[in-house]
Amino acid sequence: MTTETAPSPTSSDSPPPHGEPRVVDVLVVGGGSASETAGPRAAAAGLSVAVVEGSLVGGECPFWACVPSKAMLLAAHGHRRSGSDDHDAAWAWALRRRTDATAGRDDSGKADGLRAAGVELVRGWASVERDDAGGGLARVRRGGGSPDDPGELVDVLRWRTLVLATGSAPAAPPVDGLDDVATWTSDEALSSDHRPASLLVLGGGAVGCELAQVYASFGVRTTLVETAPRLLASENPSVGDAVAQALTGTGVDVRTGVTASRARADGDGVVLELDDGSEVTGERVLLASGRRPRLECVQTLGFDTTGAGALAVDDRYRVLADGRPLDDVYAVGDVNGRAPYTHGANYQARVVADALVGRPREGDETGMPRAVYVDPPVLATGLSADGAREAGHDVVVATQASSDTGRAHVERYDGPGTVELVVDAASGVLLGASVVGPEADSWGGELVLAVRGRLDVELLAEVVHPFPAWGELLLPAAEDARDQVRARRGDEQPGGGAEQPAHTA
Amino acid sequence: MTTETAPSPTSSDSPPPHGEPRVVDVLVVGGGSASETAGPRAAAAGLSVAVVEGSLVGGECPFWACVPSKAMLLAAHGHRRSGSDDHDAAWAWALRRRTDATAGRDDSGKADGLRAAGVELVRGWASVERDDAGGGLARVRRGGGSPDDPGELVDVLRWRTLVLATGSAPAAPPVDGLDDVATWTSDEALSSDHRPASLLVLGGGAVGCELAQVYASFGVRTTLVETAPRLLASENPSVGDAVAQALTGTGVDVRTGVTASRARADGDGVVLELDDGSEVTGERVLLASGRRPRLECVQTLGFDTTGAGALAVDDRYRVLADGRPLDDVYAVGDVNGRAPYTHGANYQARVVADALVGRPREGDETGMPRAVYVDPPVLATGLSADGAREAGHDVVVATQASSDTGRAHVERYDGPGTVELVVDAASGVLLGASVVGPEADSWGGELVLAVRGRLDVELLAEVVHPFPAWGELLLPAAEDARDQVRARRGDEQPGGGAEQPAHTA
């Protein structure tokens, strides 16, 4: 078990401000969604659980990231479909939607939810110590609000098991001059009411693509700059191509394969110099090129980190120190860098909660979905074709680049619709998949299950989708992949050519 | 193989009108979607294929059923969400959408599609003969347009393998007086431009529910009468309850558990007398209580039929005669009554096409989806809870009756959202599932795969859905079902109670 060797709470080297520190079975540092998942589950099993959070309970997602982004995206999609060019009114409506969705950044409902589940909430920033034998202290400070200004020490807790769920913060790319021009992080963009006349989006990942489409939809002249040759560069090429088509259709000037080398102010705006010699201009730069894990609370503890600056963990999400997992320290969510999504944090938190209540197991992120909520949305899971080849698989790839199906006909939809299946040629197992199209974040779930369950493409090609549902787009690709695998095995050519039909002379 | 014993084409007992009959490897009677699936696949493998169709190529679905219904439903949903009460304008727009979706009931594109795939299209109504040794003739008549008025003999073909795909026709329920009042079949409702002031819908299955919601959305006073205690009575109870909530919210007067005993004209309208003593009135009755398989073309052949009047087939969709499958006659789609959906016909046609090209196999309809495109839509697959118990399974049932998830929060959705999972208690295998909610026809596809693949609920509870996608609604039910199965097995109480956490004293 995780904390059988935890010492009794006597070894504190600095006295707590309010007498002997309280002891909790589980201390979660960071009140984001992982804490909302793991905390109540551990408490329900009879453990004492405290969550320390210096900002808003719920974390980035409901207040500064996913939720306001999705609210703005939905408003943007609605505005585009309305055909109206009254961007001012639509923007004002979108801001109201965003305020509703983020509850005006009031986290009291979420705080109440934790408490109702039997989880103690401690407001403040924790700095953590760990005893050599396991367990340790957490000092909680308030007022400063950041590690650099530690504020007043308000609480000290002794923990038996520590769950680090401190998340991540926006990171600026290394572009000369960015400090001297007007920039937004994604958090700032998603909390500001200002609609710039023009915007330079740095980064063509999920955040950059989503926010570029949001602003362009409301009439903002939007330029997106991405160093990789394609948007969403780690996904199958069909994904980036489809999203580029969607963004271009929304009016975004998509610049891929170029890198911003320098930023400079120009009047009230910004000029970005690109490494192809061209320049792009805008009122402001939106930094959407990455985030960095938040490690401040454990910076003195010498835990192992990854090359990307995340906490290194094993498959049970135990933090590594000198290459060995600690039985009393877990890290879940963005801070371990493995699956930096709200649903990734929640999944890892479920695995850790199982361990906390006596059912330790490894997480399996084989099918972890990656969604991008542009219009139409993207869902990807498992390995890309290139990733599968790099991992040593002999793969067959089946692609379909058409939205032509019964549903598209009924809805008169003629936008992007792509399916790409990556299948292990030897076993027929689906290794990865990506889909783009209306409701793809819904019907792509079938592929998440298939990748996670290591299912055979023979089965996938047998699955029936209701007419006329968008999922019917999957059949041609599944049959193609199945036929390719069969052909590789030599038991039949695609289309049945190897085995002559009995009818023909 | 299917037709190795087919005789040479010499045994015709009545001379064809244009010389010796042409011989085709495969004759498909009925030009609906099954023919569009099986015909091109057989032709691609080198077989000669002819399709006989007396009405529109494409069949019911694109012109009289699914497609116009879905077009009207989409228009109705849009109209409701607009909040407009200008029903006249919205109706006119809906009719335009319907006309677009049905191509004005012009099937030339579909006919061209068959021909481009190498399939011969013969316009007319077939009557089929079969030789004792296998194979047979088909006489094609035109002009009459129905079996009662056979019209002119225009062609005779000799077939080696016959695929019956003749579909179904609306059937009226046995209610006294229905012949003397104004009625619509669903086909008529979906081709008429008339919007009645009020409508009585007889039947609470998929067609009745869909059309009731369509008409009510456009301001038609709509009453739905269903004999069973619930709408969609063969599904899990949560489905009918959710759809009743949705229809009632659209203004439909939903009467379940009552049977129409008599219809009578009253002025310009209709009175339906119900067996609870009450009466309901409307301008017209929409007959939505069932369809009957179309067997006219083979009525003299003595094939076996089911109690419901469909052609009896084995699991390879070979037609039975005296209880034994014929190697040269298949029946797919509505005419065999097994999976009376367009996607059911297409699936069966794929299985038969495999047999035609030398890869005979059994169909597996374990996970066949059943969709209802009301708003929010329904997807069901596999066994209902009652059906599973009747089949002898010891089941655990996990239900969730809440749409509370991240997506609902972002979209401010507070309508129905239900998940019901039916799991074999002994094996943990998912036997069936039903979901109702936004995009349920998309995210429910995961459950179709799970039922078809006989997957374990342990796996389903591990599947991660992207935040905030509607599929997140599945997790609580999957975890509940998993915990119930574990508890039955005695290896753990739900919530981890059987095994004490290591932390607690």
Side-chain angles (χ1 to χ4, degrees), chain A residues 223-318:
Chain A
T223 307
L224 188 155
V225 177
E226 165 59 47
T227 299
R230 281 194 178 82
L231 300 176
L232 300 162
S234 60
E235 304 296 353
N236 290 320
S238 60
V239 172
D241 291 347
V243 172
Q245 179 188 341
L247 294 194
T248 302
T250 315
V252 178
D253 179 4
V254 176
R255 305 282 186 106
T256 52
V258 289
T259 299
S261 48
R262 188 163 168 269
R264 67 173 199 271
D266 180 22
D268 291 339
V270 181
V271 177
L272 276 183
E273 301 172 7
L274 307 182
D275 66 357
D276 65 354
S278 65
E279 295 184 341
V280 288
T281 63
E283 181 184 316
R284 180 176 286 273
V285 178
L286 174 55
L287 307 174
S289 58
R291 300 178 68 90
R292 59 164 188 83
R294 286 179 157 136
L295 305 189
E296 293 86 350
C297 76
V298 293
Q299 58 191 355
T300 64
L301 296 186
F303 295 155
D304 296 351
T305 55
T306 68
L311 284 176
V313 294
D314 70 0
D315 285 343
R316 285 162 61 180
Y317 309 113
R318 294 180 297 187

Side-chain angles (χ1 to χ4, degrees), chain A residues 100-101 347 409 412 462 503, chain B residues 3 100-101 347 409 412 462:
Chain A
D100 283 350
Y347 173 74
H409 175 70
R412 299 197 295 187
E462 274 287 288
H503 288 169
Chain B
T3 58
D100 283 350
Y347 173 74
H409 173 71
R412 298 196 296 187
E462 274 286 289

Side-chain angles (χ1 to χ4, degrees), chain B residues 238 245 399-405 408 413-419 436-438 443 470 472-474 476:
Chain B
S238 60
Q245 179 188 342
T399 59
Q400 192 219 331
S402 164
S403 59
D404 184 20
T405 188
Y413 174 81
D414 61 359
T418 78
V419 174
V436 184
W443 51 271
W470 288 111
E472 290 192 304
L473 284 169
L474 291 171

